[in-house]
Amino acid sequence: MRPGKWVSLKDVPKRLFETACTYATLIERAVYLEMLVIGLTGGIGTGKSEAARQLEALGASIISADQVGHEAYTPNTEAWEHVVLAFGDDILQVDGEIDRRKLGTIVFSDPGQLDKLNQIMHPRMARMVADKIEAFRGQETEVVVVEAALLFEAGWDSLVEEVWVTDSPEQVIIERLKLRNGMSEEEARKRISSQMGRTERLERSDYVIENSGDMAALVSTIKELWNRRVPV
């Protein structure tokens, strides 16, 4: 296990606490840091999910924003009720589950609708992510990775100690989306443009995982970064 140490709050990175979901109790006491919390982000088609799988294989515990989102969308929860009220019953399946494909069609074609959804979901999901991080801390977990495409947009970078980002050239991403998702080039470009710009994402991240080659190259890059950042 990586050695931990007691630190005062003034020595803790500011990003750990500047979030609406940070518990007031954390502000009133020192925090014992023995767990590395990494934020993993990246635009669509850059290999973020595969990077998360590789990090899990190396020993990290993963908190997936997609999985947290599924939990938040559970029928008859507070988040579910707000989303249905905002977007209508047409987004529901027969069993009451939210059809995320239908909802995605609405929000990814209209920035205003996407902003509306994010305002509903991001704070509620952030509280869930914070709870999961603290649960892992209580289990003496060594490395936790918060995998989230919208890590910066949602303000969840405040929950982690450092941010790793997957990155690929735009044309490579478009070809992947055409092959993997069956998107047209226009659809792929629209999806890319709905996310944070590449330059800003890279500037705000601590480490870049370049992914323009094959799987072997990606695995090698991740292992190299892991060995640098997670000492034995």
Side-chain angles (χ1 to χ4, degrees):
M1 177 178 291
R2 297 186 303 114
K5 63 177 181 178
W6 284 100
V7 295
S8 68
L9 288 182
K10 64 183 179 63
D11 295 322
V12 177
K14 190 176 181 181
R15 65 168 55 176
L16 285 174
F17 300 103
E18 288 188 344
T19 177
C21 70
T22 301
Y23 302 108
T25 52
L26 292 180
I27 301 175
E28 298 172 352
R29 64 174 174 81
V31 182
Y32 184 68
L33 292 177
E34 61 175 9
M35 182 175 76
L36 176 61
V37 184
I38 299 167
L40 175 63
T41 191
I44 187 172
T46 61
K48 173 180 58 61
S49 296
E50 183 56 43
R53 283 190 284 271
Q54 294 301 322
L55 289 170
E56 185 173 30
L58 289 169
S61 296
I62 307 297
I63 299 173
S64 166
D66 283 345
Q67 182 58 45
V68 173
H70 281 296
E71 294 174 18
Y73 281 128
T74 300
N76 302 311
T77 60
E78 180 194 9
W80 179 91
E81 290 176 351
H82 278 81
V83 171
V84 173
L85 183 62
F87 295 97
D89 293 342
D90 288 344
I91 64 169
L92 295 178
Q93 300 176 154
V94 176
D95 59 2
E97 294 278 352
I98 290 174
D99 187 325
R100 297 183 70 177
R101 184 177 294 274
K102 284 185 179 179
L103 183 58
T105 299
I106 295 170
V107 300
F108 288 120
S109 61
D110 184 336
Q113 296 286 65
L114 180 59
D115 185 59
K116 182 196 299 184
L117 178 64
N118 289 341
Q119 287 183 28
I120 295 170
M121 297 303 297
H122 285 173
R124 292 169 175 83
M125 291 174 63
R127 289 195 294 270
M128 296 169 69
V129 171
D131 286 342
K132 291 176 184 292
I133 289 173
E134 289 309 304
F136 279 123
R137 197 183 302 280
Q139 297 167 17
E140 299 187 351
T141 302
E142 294 188 9
V143 182
V144 170
V145 173
V146 178
E147 178 202 353
L150 302 180
L151 187 82
F152 292 122
E153 294 91 328
W156 298 353
D157 55 317
S158 60
L159 296 172
V160 306
E161 295 172 59
E162 58 190 54
V163 177
W164 298 8
V165 60
T166 52
D167 181 60
S168 304
E170 183 171 296
Q171 195 55 47
V172 171
I173 295 172
I174 290 171
E175 293 305 316
R176 287 175 182 161
L177 295 180
K178 288 164 67 175
L179 181 64
R180 184 189 73 187
N181 298 58
M183 292 184 183
S184 66
E185 182 155 338
E186 180 182 358
E187 289 171 330
R189 290 187 183 280
K190 182 181 294 185
R191 184 61 64 91
I192 293 169
S193 66
S194 72
Q195 299 183 330
M196 176 179 286
R198 179 186 184 191
T199 299
E200 181 180 359
R201 188 185 295 113
L202 293 180
E203 287 177 348
R204 294 179 64 177
S205 298
D206 298 297
Y207 300 96
V208 179
I209 300 170
E210 199 279 328
N211 180 28
S212 58
D214 58 16
M215 179 64 71
L218 176 61
V219 171
S220 176
T221 298
I222 292 169
K223 285 184 177 179
E224 180 182 352
L225 182 54
W226 174 272
N227 290 334
R228 285 169 51 199
R229 300 303 304 149
V230 185
V232 177

